[in-house]
Amino acid sequence: MQLGTREIRHIILNNQVVNSSRALHSLKHTVPKSHKNIAIHMVDHIRRLGVFPANYALDLGEFIDSNGNSYIDIVELNPISCSMCYVNNSIYADVVPEIGECQRQLMMGAEFCYDAIANPKNYDMLRISNKSYTYTSDNQSQS
């Protein structure tokens, strides 16, 4: 299985996990609460070290040991300034109402919503259940 399907990016602001997203183009995914709880635990541990910035991107991966047991560990820590957000991530803890409405409608992070408002032709603004959405490029998905 590809690491991207087992990796989760957590955006950390002021030593708090503000949101989490998998490295997938699919809008229909969730991050298990157990993964978020591990991220919260790791962020708290990093904070207690007292030598790391309070804002960063934390990438956790699910790995399998030689006995076939799965475990979650850090893949990498990155400054937010050079980290892209996955589709449901955002560096914004608070958003303006227009972006909040877009997030509810498209289920994407604020950065993608800013782009959707600026370039609506690149987005299918009417999500329909049981419809298949296909990734075609970094700029557009096809239904």
Side-chain angles (χ1 to χ4, degrees), residues 11-68:
I11 301 298
I12 313 306
L13 297 176
N14 297 318
N15 289 309
Q16 300 292 314
V17 177
V18 295
N19 56 59
S20 308
S21 185
R22 292 183 191 220
L24 302 172
H25 294 291
S26 172
L27 301 179
K28 298 177 181 178
H29 76 272
T30 58
V31 175
K33 188 165 181 59
S34 60
H35 286 229
K36 289 181 184 179
N37 289 339
I38 291 171
I40 290 167
H41 173 76
M42 289 184 175
V43 167
D44 190 49
H45 178 74
I46 292 167
R47 180 193 53 78
R48 285 193 309 263
L49 294 174
V51 295
F52 203 76
N55 305 311
Y56 55 96
L58 168 65
D59 293 345
L60 297 180
E62 186 176 340
F63 299 93
I64 299 175
D65 67 16
S66 59
N67 295 321

Side-chain angles (χ1 to χ4, degrees), residues 1-119:
M1 183 171 282
Q2 293 179 328
L3 181 58
T5 62
R6 295 288 190 177
E7 185 176 335
I8 297 172
R9 173 157 290 167
H10 303 275
I11 301 298
I12 313 306
L13 297 176
N14 297 318
N15 289 309
Q16 300 292 314
V17 177
V18 295
N19 56 59
S20 308
S21 185
R22 292 183 191 220
L24 302 172
H25 294 291
S26 172
L27 301 179
K28 298 177 181 178
H29 76 272
T30 58
V31 175
K33 188 165 181 59
S34 60
H35 286 229
K36 289 181 184 179
N37 289 339
I38 291 171
I40 290 167
H41 173 76
M42 289 184 175
V43 167
D44 190 49
H45 178 74
I46 292 167
R47 180 193 53 78
R48 285 193 309 263
L49 294 174
V51 295
F52 203 76
N55 305 311
Y56 55 96
L58 168 65
D59 293 345
L60 297 180
E62 186 176 340
F63 299 93
I64 299 175
D65 67 16
S66 59
N67 295 321
N69 300 312
S70 68
Y71 65 97
I72 296 173
D73 204 350
I74 295 174
V75 174
E76 60 186 352
L77 301 160
N78 292 302
I80 288 178
S81 60
C82 64
S83 298
M84 65 172 258
C85 291
Y86 297 157
V87 73
N88 290 335
N89 282 142
S90 175
I91 62 167
Y92 299 104
D94 298 312
V95 297
V96 296
E98 296 85 356
I99 297 300
E101 178 57 33
C102 176
Q103 286 180 304
R104 282 186 291 282
Q105 188 177 17
L106 296 180
M107 298 178 290
M108 296 190 299
E111 289 78 359
F112 283 86
C113 285
Y114 279 111
D115 186 61
I117 289 171
N119 303 291

Side-chain angles (χ1 to χ4, degrees), residues 115-125 136 139-142:
D115 186 61
I117 289 171
N119 303 291
K121 69 181 184 321
N122 292 338
Y123 296 85
D124 183 351
M125 302 303 269
T136 58
N139 298 318
Q140 189 169 356
S141 67
Q142 182 178 12

